Amino acid sequence: MSLFSCPTIEAQTNRIVLTDPCFISDLHLNAESAAQAAFFVRFLNEVASAYKELVILGDFFDYWVGDDAWDSAVGLLEPLKNWASNHKLFLMHGNRDFMMGKRLCERLGATLLADPTVATLGSQRLLLSHGDLWCVNDHDYQKVRRKVRSVWWQWLVLRLPLSKRLEIANNARARSKQSKENKEAQLMDVDDKTIAEWAQKLHCDYVIHGHTHRPGSYRINDSLQRFVLADWRFSASNTFKGGFLTFENNVPVLQNFH
């Protein structure tokens, strides 16, 4: 780890070209769960392998505390690394795994995307984001987001022992769950006006994001539609459900994976 490296300044790519993509987000995978890893590997083999690119728009992990934690998630990362050896893989930070950095992506063979990123697919321009950037009505969350994405905060945290960072992450998850329970749903959703401004400025035809756990297609105005990726759900009975988005005849299509 370089003396001045930190993930927030390592996600530099904000323009990509796609030819045959599959989009996912909000898997919230727990590195300690062999069943979750097996479900994801089945997705790689049965779905993702049919496409040329896999674009993960944040929260691949339930938490990620630094690229030196590879060994703790080897059951997830090695299959993804193998998949990326003959496909293109793109990763974007989410609100749970914003500490993914250059080292992780180099080892995976992935490209780390800035949030937002513009993707060109044929003649279409896609605006890609995790989505939390656009939850502008949740002022408390945006304040925390700015802090944890700052260079100084990440630089300091990455110098803590790995065990301490894991402890901090577990405590943060508990506080986040409590905070969500006490907030109105509208506060935690994206703001369509803000998205429309971004899309207009960057001349995009579609918006694709995750984060809200409200999968579906939403019409923003006459010329702009946003698609929300499904979150992946893992129940105690090992009943798993996920989702993904692909393009069919140049039209975005949301699909389920059970």
Side-chain angles (χ1 to χ4, degrees):
M1 182 168 58
S2 164
L3 179 61
F4 297 105
S5 70
C6 64
T8 198
I9 58 175
E10 292 173 350
Q12 298 292 339
T13 304
N14 61 4
R15 296 288 191 279
I16 58 174
V17 176
L18 302 173
T19 57
D20 185 26
C22 176
F23 298 88
I24 55 176
S25 75
D26 297 278
L27 285 73
H28 293 275
L29 293 177
N30 184 341
E32 298 173 357
S33 172
Q36 288 185 18
F39 183 64
F40 176 64
V41 171
R42 188 162 69 85
F43 170 80
L44 288 177
N45 294 333
E46 296 180 10
V47 176
S49 289
Y51 299 91
K52 293 181 179 179
E53 303 108 359
L54 179 63
V55 185
I56 305 177
L57 295 180
D59 284 0
F60 174 69
F61 297 104
D62 201 27
Y63 58 86
W64 186 251
V65 298
D67 293 352
D68 53 342
W70 176 283
D71 289 344
S72 69
V74 69
L76 295 167
L77 294 174
E78 286 296 340
L80 187 58
K81 177 182 177 180
N82 292 337
W83 184 92
S85 65
N86 51 22
H87 298 80
K88 288 186 177 180
L89 175 63
F90 299 91
L91 292 176
M92 181 179 286
H93 292 141
N95 57 294
R96 297 293 189 93
D97 52 13
F98 53 85
M99 296 296 279
M100 294 188 301
K102 182 179 179 181
R103 242 172 64 184
L104 172 68
C105 288
E106 287 179 343
R107 195 165 177 181
L108 280 173
T111 299
L112 188 58
L113 302 178
D115 188 354
T117 282
V118 174
T120 302
L121 178 62
S123 61
Q124 300 181 110
R125 288 168 63 87
L126 317 176
L127 182 57
L128 311 179
S129 175
H130 177 58
D132 61 327
L133 173 69
W134 296 325
C135 297
V136 297
N137 296 313
D138 190 344
H139 302 296
D140 290 340
Y141 171 74
Q142 291 299 329
K143 183 178 179 180
V144 172
R145 187 184 190 277
R146 286 191 295 271
K147 182 180 79 170
V148 300
R149 304 296 180 101
S150 66
V151 173
W152 67 266
W153 189 91
Q154 293 191 355
W155 189 90
L156 288 172
V157 168
L158 285 172
R159 272 135 192 89
L160 296 174
L162 178 59
S163 58
K164 182 62 177 179
R165 280 179 269 143
L166 290 168
E167 179 185 337
I168 292 172
N170 281 316
N171 291 336
R173 279 195 305 167
R175 291 195 303 271
S176 175
K177 182 178 180 180
Q178 182 64 42
S179 176
K180 286 181 179 179
E181 291 173 352
N182 294 333
K183 285 183 180 178
E184 297 179 11
Q186 185 177 358
L187 280 181
M188 295 186 290
D189 204 355
V190 296
D191 180 69
D192 279 347
K193 181 181 177 182
T194 301
I195 294 176
E197 290 171 352
W198 274 97
Q200 182 179 15
K201 179 175 67 174
L202 297 172
H203 310 289
C204 291
D205 304 292
Y206 292 110
V207 177
I208 302 172
H209 70 86
H211 181 64
T212 65
H213 296 200
R214 297 172 183 173
S217 60
Y218 300 84
R219 176 67 62 180
I220 295 179
N221 54 43
D222 291 341
S223 61
L224 184 64
Q225 195 171 4
R226 66 179 173 93
F227 289 80
V228 183
L229 300 169
D231 55 307
W232 289 36
R233 300 175 183 270
F234 305 96
S235 71
S237 60
N238 285 346
T239 302
F240 299 158
K241 180 180 179 182
F244 59 99
L245 181 146
T246 60
F247 275 73
E248 297 182 4
N249 298 319
N250 298 319
V251 176
V253 178
L254 290 163
Q255 304 186 58
N256 293 319
F257 180 69
H258 299 278

PDB file of all heavy atoms in Angstrom, residues 65-84:
ATOM      1  N   VAL A  65     -13.223  -3.640   4.182  1.00  0.00           N
ATOM      2  CA  VAL A  65     -12.458  -2.756   5.063  1.00  0.00           C
ATOM      3  C   VAL A  65     -11.068  -2.432   4.544  1.00  0.00           C
ATOM      4  O   VAL A  65     -10.301  -1.741   5.208  1.00  0.00           O
ATOM      5  CB  VAL A  65     -12.354  -3.365   6.477  1.00  0.00           C
ATOM      6  CG1 VAL A  65     -13.731  -3.525   7.107  1.00  0.00           C
ATOM      7  CG2 VAL A  65     -11.603  -4.698   6.443  1.00  0.00           C
ATOM      8  N   GLY A  66     -10.734  -2.909   3.360  1.00  0.00           N
ATOM      9  CA  GLY A  66      -9.414  -2.639   2.810  1.00  0.00           C
ATOM     10  C   GLY A  66      -8.938  -3.811   1.980  1.00  0.00           C
ATOM     11  O   GLY A  66      -9.335  -4.965   2.210  1.00  0.00           O
ATOM     12  N   ASP A  67      -8.077  -3.532   1.011  1.00  0.00           N
ATOM     13  CA  ASP A  67      -7.664  -4.570   0.074  1.00  0.00           C
ATOM     14  C   ASP A  67      -6.775  -5.636   0.689  1.00  0.00           C
ATOM     15  O   ASP A  67      -6.542  -6.682   0.080  1.00  0.00           O
ATOM     16  CB  ASP A  67      -6.955  -3.915  -1.122  1.00  0.00           C
ATOM     17  CG  ASP A  67      -7.906  -3.071  -1.963  1.00  0.00           C
ATOM     18  OD1 ASP A  67      -9.123  -3.119  -1.696  1.00  0.00           O
ATOM     19  OD2 ASP A  67      -7.431  -2.371  -2.872  1.00  0.00           O
ATOM     20  N   ASP A  68      -6.293  -5.405   1.904  1.00  0.00           N
ATOM     21  CA  ASP A  68      -5.514  -6.440   2.589  1.00  0.00           C
ATOM     22  C   ASP A  68      -6.423  -7.510   3.200  1.00  0.00           C
ATOM     23  O   ASP A  68      -5.936  -8.446   3.836  1.00  0.00           O
ATOM     24  CB  ASP A  68      -4.620  -5.827   3.666  1.00  0.00           C
ATOM     25  CG  ASP A  68      -5.389  -4.951   4.649  1.00  0.00           C
ATOM     26  OD1 ASP A  68      -6.520  -4.536   4.343  1.00  0.00           O
ATOM     27  OD2 ASP A  68      -4.833  -4.657   5.728  1.00  0.00           O
ATOM     28  N   ALA A  69      -7.733  -7.403   2.983  1.00  0.00           N
ATOM     29  CA  ALA A  69      -8.679  -8.388   3.522  1.00  0.00           C
ATOM     30  C   ALA A  69      -9.001  -9.482   2.505  1.00  0.00           C
ATOM     31  O   ALA A  69      -9.970 -10.221   2.672  1.00  0.00           O
ATOM     32  CB  ALA A  69      -9.974  -7.684   3.959  1.00  0.00           C
ATOM     33  N   TRP A  70      -8.217  -9.584   1.450  1.00  0.00           N
ATOM     34  CA  TRP A  70      -8.480 -10.574   0.392  1.00  0.00           C
ATOM     35  C   TRP A  70      -8.688 -11.978   0.965  1.00  0.00           C
ATOM     36  O   TRP A  70      -9.630 -12.683   0.601  1.00  0.00           O
ATOM     37  CB  TRP A  70      -7.318 -10.575  -0.605  1.00  0.00           C
ATOM     38  CG  TRP A  70      -7.424 -11.627  -1.684  1.00  0.00           C
ATOM     39  CD1 TRP A  70      -7.172 -12.965  -1.571  1.00  0.00           C
ATOM     40  CD2 TRP A  70      -7.817 -11.416  -3.045  1.00  0.00           C
ATOM     41  NE1 TRP A  70      -7.368 -13.610  -2.761  1.00  0.00           N
ATOM     42  CE2 TRP A  70      -7.770 -12.684  -3.696  1.00  0.00           C
ATOM     43  CE3 TRP A  70      -8.193 -10.292  -3.787  1.00  0.00           C
ATOM     44  CZ2 TRP A  70      -8.088 -12.845  -5.049  1.00  0.00           C
ATOM     45  CZ3 TRP A  70      -8.503 -10.457  -5.137  1.00  0.00           C
ATOM     46  CH2 TRP A  70      -8.458 -11.721  -5.750  1.00  0.00           C
ATOM     47  N   ASP A  71      -7.814 -12.393   1.853  1.00  0.00           N
ATOM     48  CA  ASP A  71      -7.878 -13.764   2.367  1.00  0.00           C
ATOM     49  C   ASP A  71      -9.182 -14.046   3.094  1.00  0.00           C
ATOM     50  O   ASP A  71      -9.637 -15.199   3.146  1.00  0.00           O
ATOM     51  CB  ASP A  71      -6.703 -14.039   3.303  1.00  0.00           C
ATOM     52  CG  ASP A  71      -5.383 -14.136   2.542  1.00  0.00           C
ATOM     53  OD1 ASP A  71      -5.425 -14.291   1.309  1.00  0.00           O
ATOM     54  OD2 ASP A  71      -4.320 -14.032   3.188  1.00  0.00           O
ATOM     55  N   SER A  72      -9.809 -13.013   3.654  1.00  0.00           N
ATOM     56  CA  SER A  72     -11.065 -13.214   4.377  1.00  0.00           C
ATOM     57  C   SER A  72     -12.237 -13.442   3.429  1.00  0.00           C
ATOM     58  O   SER A  72     -13.309 -13.872   3.860  1.00  0.00           O
ATOM     59  CB  SER A  72     -11.362 -12.006   5.276  1.00  0.00           C
ATOM     60  OG  SER A  72     -11.687 -10.866   4.492  1.00  0.00           O
ATOM     61  N   ALA A  73     -12.061 -13.140   2.137  1.00  0.00           N
ATOM     62  CA  ALA A  73     -13.150 -13.274   1.169  1.00  0.00           C
ATOM     63  C   ALA A  73     -12.729 -14.091  -0.039  1.00  0.00           C
ATOM     64  O   ALA A  73     -13.275 -13.936  -1.127  1.00  0.00           O
ATOM     65  CB  ALA A  73     -13.618 -11.886   0.731  1.00  0.00           C
ATOM     66  N   VAL A  74     -11.766 -14.978   0.157  1.00  0.00           N
ATOM     67  CA  VAL A  74     -11.194 -15.709  -0.971  1.00  0.00           C
ATOM     68  C   VAL A  74     -12.235 -16.573  -1.681  1.00  0.00           C
ATOM     69  O   VAL A  74     -12.160 -16.784  -2.897  1.00  0.00           O
ATOM     70  CB  VAL A  74      -9.988 -16.548  -0.494  1.00  0.00           C
ATOM     71  CG1 VAL A  74     -10.442 -17.697   0.411  1.00  0.00           C
ATOM     72  CG2 VAL A  74      -9.176 -17.036  -1.664  1.00  0.00           C
ATOM     73  N   GLY A  75     -13.243 -17.055  -0.946  1.00  0.00           N
ATOM     74  CA  GLY A  75     -14.287 -17.886  -1.552  1.00  0.00           C
ATOM     75  C   GLY A  75     -15.143 -17.137  -2.553  1.00  0.00           C
ATOM     76  O   GLY A  75     -15.771 -17.740  -3.425  1.00  0.00           O
ATOM     77  N   LEU A  76     -15.181 -15.811  -2.444  1.00  0.00           N
ATOM     78  CA  LEU A  76     -15.894 -14.964  -3.403  1.00  0.00           C
ATOM     79  C   LEU A  76     -14.956 -14.432  -4.474  1.00  0.00           C
ATOM     80  O   LEU A  76     -15.316 -14.337  -5.658  1.00  0.00           O
ATOM     81  CB  LEU A  76     -16.545 -13.781  -2.676  1.00  0.00           C
ATOM     82  CG  LEU A  76     -17.646 -14.092  -1.679  1.00  0.00           C
ATOM     83  CD1 LEU A  76     -17.948 -12.863  -0.835  1.00  0.00           C
ATOM     84  CD2 LEU A  76     -18.898 -14.535  -2.421  1.00  0.00           C
ATOM     85  N   LEU A  77     -13.759 -14.054  -4.058  1.00  0.00           N
ATOM     86  CA  LEU A  77     -12.865 -13.339  -4.959  1.00  0.00           C
ATOM     87  C   LEU A  77     -12.164 -14.234  -5.973  1.00  0.00           C
ATOM     88  O   LEU A  77     -11.981 -13.834  -7.130  1.00  0.00           O
ATOM     89  CB  LEU A  77     -11.834 -12.565  -4.131  1.00  0.00           C
ATOM     90  CG  LEU A  77     -12.429 -11.439  -3.282  1.00  0.00           C
ATOM     91  CD1 LEU A  77     -11.367 -10.830  -2.377  1.00  0.00           C
ATOM     92  CD2 LEU A  77     -13.034 -10.362  -4.177  1.00  0.00           C
ATOM     93  N   GLU A  78     -11.769 -15.418  -5.586  1.00  0.00           N
ATOM     94  CA  GLU A  78     -11.098 -16.298  -6.538  1.00  0.00           C
ATOM     95  C   GLU A  78     -12.000 -16.691  -7.705  1.00  0.00           C
ATOM     96  O   GLU A  78     -11.561 -16.655  -8.863  1.00  0.00           O
ATOM     97  CB  GLU A  78     -10.549 -17.532  -5.830  1.00  0.00           C
ATOM     98  CG  GLU A  78      -9.307 -17.262  -4.990  1.00  0.00           C
ATOM     99  CD  GLU A  78      -8.102 -16.817  -5.818  1.00  0.00           C
ATOM    100  OE1 GLU A  78      -8.082 -17.076  -7.038  1.00  0.00           O
ATOM    101  OE2 GLU A  78      -7.177 -16.215  -5.242  1.00  0.00           O
ATOM    102  N   PRO A  79     -13.269 -17.067  -7.470  1.00  0.00           N
ATOM    103  CA  PRO A  79     -14.153 -17.350  -8.617  1.00  0.00           C
ATOM    104  C   PRO A  79     -14.369 -16.126  -9.501  1.00  0.00           C
ATOM    105  O   PRO A  79     -14.444 -16.254 -10.733  1.00  0.00           O
ATOM    106  CB  PRO A  79     -15.465 -17.790  -7.952  1.00  0.00           C
ATOM    107  CG  PRO A  79     -15.071 -18.278  -6.602  1.00  0.00           C
ATOM    108  CD  PRO A  79     -13.934 -17.399  -6.188  1.00  0.00           C
ATOM    109  N   LEU A  80     -14.470 -14.943  -8.888  1.00  0.00           N
ATOM    110  CA  LEU A  80     -14.653 -13.725  -9.678  1.00  0.00           C
ATOM    111  C   LEU A  80     -13.390 -13.430 -10.492  1.00  0.00           C
ATOM    112  O   LEU A  80     -13.473 -13.004 -11.656  1.00  0.00           O
ATOM    113  CB  LEU A  80     -14.991 -12.561  -8.757  1.00  0.00           C
ATOM    114  CG  LEU A  80     -15.374 -11.242  -9.428  1.00  0.00           C
ATOM    115  CD1 LEU A  80     -16.575 -11.424 -10.352  1.00  0.00           C
ATOM    116  CD2 LEU A  80     -15.687 -10.176  -8.370  1.00  0.00           C
ATOM    117  N   LYS A  81     -12.242 -13.654  -9.893  1.00  0.00           N
ATOM    118  CA  LYS A  81     -10.970 -13.471 -10.600  1.00  0.00           C
ATOM    119  C   LYS A  81     -10.875 -14.425 -11.795  1.00  0.00           C
ATOM    120  O   LYS A  81     -10.459 -14.025 -12.897  1.00  0.00           O
ATOM    121  CB  LYS A  81      -9.806 -13.707  -9.633  1.00  0.00           C
ATOM    122  CG  LYS A  81      -8.438 -13.607 -10.265  1.00  0.00           C
ATOM    123  CD  LYS A  81      -7.348 -13.905  -9.243  1.00  0.00           C
ATOM    124  CE  LYS A  81      -5.966 -13.876  -9.887  1.00  0.00           C
ATOM    125  NZ  LYS A  81      -4.898 -14.173  -8.889  1.00  0.00           N
ATOM    126  N   ASN A  82     -11.273 -15.667 -11.590  1.00  0.00           N
ATOM    127  CA  ASN A  82     -11.246 -16.649 -12.682  1.00  0.00           C
ATOM    128  C   ASN A  82     -12.188 -16.233 -13.806  1.00  0.00           C
ATOM    129  O   ASN A  82     -11.870 -16.343 -14.992  1.00  0.00           O
ATOM    130  CB  ASN A  82     -11.615 -18.040 -12.156  1.00  0.00           C
ATOM    131  CG  ASN A  82     -10.560 -18.607 -11.228  1.00  0.00           C
ATOM    132  OD1 ASN A  82      -9.394 -18.212 -11.276  1.00  0.00           O
ATOM    133  ND2 ASN A  82     -10.963 -19.514 -10.357  1.00  0.00           N
ATOM    134  N   TRP A  83     -13.368 -15.736 -13.430  1.00  0.00           N
ATOM    135  CA  TRP A  83     -14.348 -15.285 -14.437  1.00  0.00           C
ATOM    136  C   TRP A  83     -13.769 -14.122 -15.233  1.00  0.00           C
ATOM    137  O   TRP A  83     -13.917 -14.053 -16.455  1.00  0.00           O
ATOM    138  CB  TRP A  83     -15.642 -14.866 -13.734  1.00  0.00           C
ATOM    139  CG  TRP A  83     -16.732 -14.477 -14.675  1.00  0.00           C
ATOM    140  CD1 TRP A  83     -17.699 -15.283 -15.184  1.00  0.00           C
ATOM    141  CD2 TRP A  83     -16.962 -13.180 -15.233  1.00  0.00           C
ATOM    142  NE1 TRP A  83     -18.518 -14.572 -16.032  1.00  0.00           N
ATOM    143  CE2 TRP A  83     -18.086 -13.281 -16.078  1.00  0.00           C
ATOM    144  CE3 TRP A  83     -16.329 -11.945 -15.115  1.00  0.00           C
ATOM    145  CZ2 TRP A  83     -18.590 -12.194 -16.795  1.00  0.00           C
ATOM    146  CZ3 TRP A  83     -16.816 -10.862 -15.818  1.00  0.00           C
ATOM    147  CH2 TRP A  83     -17.936 -10.990 -16.648  1.00  0.00           C
ATOM    148  N   ALA A  84     -13.101 -13.199 -14.549  1.00  0.00           N
ATOM    149  CA  ALA A  84     -12.569 -11.998 -15.201  1.00  0.00           C
ATOM    150  C   ALA A  84     -11.369 -12.290 -16.085  1.00  0.00           C
ATOM    151  O   ALA A  84     -10.948 -11.414 -16.859  1.00  0.00           O
ATOM    152  CB  ALA A  84     -12.193 -10.963 -14.142  1.00  0.00           C
TER     153      ALA A  84
END
